[in-house]
Amino acid sequence: MKIRYFIIAILVVNVAITLNGCKSYVAFPPIEETIFIPDEYYQQLPIYSEKGYNTFGAMFERYYFVVNRNVTPLKMLYYNGNIEMTLSGIRKSDLYTYNDTTRAMSMTFSFPFEECRTYEELIKLHNTMIDLTADGSKVSITVGDESPQKLEITEGEFFVKRAQTLVIDERKTAIILSGTFYFKYKENGSFYVVRNGRFDMSVNNLYFNYIAP
Amino acid sequence: MVSLQHFRVFSSFGYEIREIENSNLFYHTMKKKSLIIALFILLSINILSQETQTSVSSWRVGIELGTHSLTYDRLVPSQVRPAPRNNEYWEYNFRPKYTSNIWGNEVGVTYVSIKSEYQLTRNVCFASGIRFSFYNDKLEGNRYYFLWELPGDINTMNYLSVKSIEQSIYTLGLPVEFRFFPSKGDHVVRQYFLAGGMFNFATFTKTKVNMLNYSMIKYEEQVKKQLPRPNHFSSHLYAGVGLKIGRMNQPFVSVEVLFPMLSYKSSKISSFAEGGGVGLIGINAAFKVPISL
């Protein structure tokens, strides 16, 4: 009887060890990975790159708004004559530590643009400068669980410096959008600044949606 | 664009490139054998020795076969797309199996030389000749494949999925050596010390690109053209201990253990490796025939 219990105990331990060894992990195709290479001067921000590293970052007053691996960094949609690009990450004061001021944060840029039915058509954004104060342009910010806040932009630009078709083994895989942004906005009588913004994203049909009018 | 400096900094955290594992296994075994042989040589001073008064020919020619390790630092070409930093638990599943040791990564060099040797005094001789060396290097990602960037245009970025790039490197060089025999007599078994330098002056490569998608093999030449060439000139200095078996006025053999070996650090020894400044150990065997001139 004792031997039977002993064998069962060994089997249970073996199964537990085996299951512990089979930790699951999230493996992305290389092109969907976030590759954060620190900027030479602003170490908390990613470098400006045009490789589709799926990173973005900006200085937001005394905080940094940067990409985070646990948050899907980009959602894009074309809806009602506008392109809407949402960068999602975290707002934090220091690169290496999480503290009480660290919050999930997203920033949405919306601007009128010619119709893009598929992600491949986003190549039309190449070398496109958007004046964020122009009619139809909108920027909103969401911090933590707060509801989106539409900003009153007083000055700002969103520049898609380069759009590239990403080809892997002769197969079109994504569109790489790379560029910069900055803006000033007014809130409760005070002015706030978002500066040194840069993004380098690979967009495919997982992250782009066309919503028919 | 990403600067090279940034890329290198990141590469040290990103794509870690594996060296040839089977080659390292061979050289770890070889190192153990070399140490045993070195011990044997040191203990065998004057054992089996017999003094002779026969005249010794001043010139000898010989053929030599040997192998030595060479440490290197990996240079990841800028065309390799980096991987994320390995600072999250799931990424450890993709970490390369490091086969380096405290001396760094090692590559095993095999060589064959034809040398002539001149007896300067009863204790000292000088040798030189020509040496043909070869070794292999392999660039592999820390995953099943890595992405290699091909030239594109302003609106196109092209990548190839590459499993590995294998390179065989062949060099021609000039060895220069001095041997010092502590005992003056021509014993049957005679121990000696040596110091030398190896000066490679020509390098040839044979490269093979293993594509993930075999139909992409048509781009192989293009990838090869993007690879930087290893340096034609490289050199290393070494010391060692040896054992001559046989009398010098007859054909004889010698066995040597070379330690340490020092090389010029920044010499590019393959398209994706830079000399690490030190080689750990080497071993060679030679067959020499006295000639009269």
Side-chain angles (χ1 to χ4, degrees), chain A residues 24-26 28 30 33-35 38 40 50-53 69 126 162-170, chain B residues 10 81-82 84-85 87-90 93 143 145 149 153-161 216 218-219:
Chain A
S24 63
Y25 53 82
V26 184
F28 297 107
E33 290 167 337
T34 291
I35 299 168
E40 194 173 347
E50 297 177 343
K51 303 273 189 182
Y53 285 164
R69 284 200 183 92
H126 179 70
R162 194 171 175 189
Q164 303 168 82
T165 303
L166 177 61
V167 180
I168 299 179
D169 294 342
E170 294 185 340
Chain B
F10 183 75
R81 185 181 172 87
R85 287 186 180 202
N87 59 359
E88 288 187 12
Y89 80 92
W90 56 267
N93 293 291
R143 299 189 183 184
Y145 67 97
E149 187 182 339
D153 58 43
I154 187 86
N155 291 122
T156 312
M157 175 166 284
N158 290 308
Y159 278 115
L160 285 175
S161 305
M216 295 297 117
K218 58 191 170 188
Y219 292 104

Side-chain angles (χ1 to χ4, degrees), chain A residues 8-78:
Chain A
I8 290 169
I10 287 176
L11 284 173
V12 168
V13 170
N14 270 341
V15 169
I17 290 170
T18 308
L19 290 176
N20 189 46
C22 298
K23 281 180 183 170
S24 63
Y25 53 82
V26 184
F28 297 107
I31 218 65
E32 288 183 33
E33 290 167 337
T34 291
I35 299 168
F36 190 101
I37 302 173
D39 186 280
E40 194 173 347
Y41 297 106
Y42 305 104
Q43 293 276 312
Q44 290 82 356
L45 298 180
I47 56 162
Y48 174 76
S49 57
E50 297 177 343
K51 303 273 189 182
Y53 285 164
N54 295 311
T55 53
F56 66 81
M59 296 170 78
F60 175 53
E61 291 290 307
R62 291 285 177 174
Y63 295 105
Y64 294 96
F65 167 50
V66 288
V67 67
N68 183 272
R69 284 200 183 92
N70 300 320
V71 182
T72 303
L74 177 76
K75 298 278 182 185
M76 274 187 93
L77 63 88
Y78 189 87

Side-chain angles (χ1 to χ4, degrees), chain B residues 108-140:
Chain B
V109 182
T110 306
Y111 58 84
V112 58
S113 318
I114 295 171
K115 284 200 288 200
S116 59
E117 191 173 86
Y118 180 70
Q119 193 81 33
L120 294 169
T121 67
R122 290 189 70 179
N123 296 73
V124 180
C125 62
F126 168 78
S128 186
I130 192 152
R131 179 177 290 178
F132 173 71
S133 310
F134 57 94
Y135 51 94
N136 297 314
D137 198 3
K138 189 175 185 180
L139 186 73
E140 257 185 324

